[in-house]
Amino acid sequence: MADDNNAIPKKKGSMSVSEAGRKGGQTVRDKYGHSFYEEIGRKGGETVKAERGRAFYEAIGKKGGDTVKAERGAAFYEAIGKKGGEAVKAERGTPFYEEIGKKGGHRVRSLIEEGKKAAAELAAAAKLSNNDVPAPGGEVLPEPAHE
């Protein structure tokens, strides 16, 4: 039978580092509340963003997403997307989707109109030759007579 005398005796009242950290975290939570953690997290995020830039978050987000995709597969994203959609539907109801669909449709319509307008302006500008110079009011001035 193994001799337990070689084991390091645990002193009365001593705790592991993880136990101490957990206890300290609970004490801070009880003293300052949940919003304290939100505030220091936001401040920390702003500091990292200022130091490393937006590209840093894009890079770590992609790396994390690629890791999850490799571990769990594309079906995982389908499942959590469906779960999230069902949660939103339960919380906000079907009219919410109708409302955001209309907003999206209006936005798409305005983007199409802007695109058509820009294309028409480009086409009109392309029709003007080097000799046809538009006047400030938009009308085309006749070419000056050569003597």
Side-chain angles (χ1 to χ4, degrees):
M1 194 159 143
D3 188 14
D4 287 338
N5 292 336
N6 292 337
I8 299 173
K10 191 171 183 179
K11 296 179 184 176
K12 184 178 181 183
S14 67
M15 64 178 77
S16 70
V17 173
S18 63
E19 290 171 325
R22 185 172 20 264
K23 186 175 180 184
Q26 289 171 345
T27 301
V28 170
R29 182 198 62 209
D30 294 344
K31 185 174 181 180
Y32 296 107
H34 181 76
S35 61
F36 171 75
Y37 288 104
E38 291 176 352
E39 183 179 343
I40 63 172
R42 182 183 45 75
K43 286 180 179 179
E46 289 173 358
T47 301
V48 171
K49 182 180 176 186
E51 291 174 356
R52 299 187 179 204
R54 179 183 173 136
F56 171 74
Y57 285 107
E58 291 174 0
I60 63 172
K62 182 171 180 2
K63 185 176 180 182
D66 289 345
T67 301
V68 171
K69 185 179 176 184
E71 290 175 357
R72 300 186 179 204
F76 171 73
Y77 288 105
E78 292 175 17
I80 63 172
K82 184 173 184 174
K83 184 177 179 181
E86 289 171 355
V88 170
K89 183 178 178 183
E91 183 180 319
R92 298 187 177 199
T94 305
F96 170 73
Y97 287 103
E98 293 171 1
E99 180 183 338
I100 63 173
K102 286 179 184 175
K103 286 180 180 179
H106 291 302
R107 179 68 179 139
V108 168
R109 185 181 309 121
S110 67
L111 289 172
I112 290 171
E113 289 172 4
E114 288 174 21
K116 287 180 178 178
K117 182 179 176 184
E121 290 173 359
L122 284 175
K127 287 182 180 179
L128 293 176
S129 68
N130 292 339
N131 295 333
D132 296 332
V133 179
E139 66 276 3
V140 177
L141 298 176
E143 187 175 321
H146 294 290
E147 295 179 21

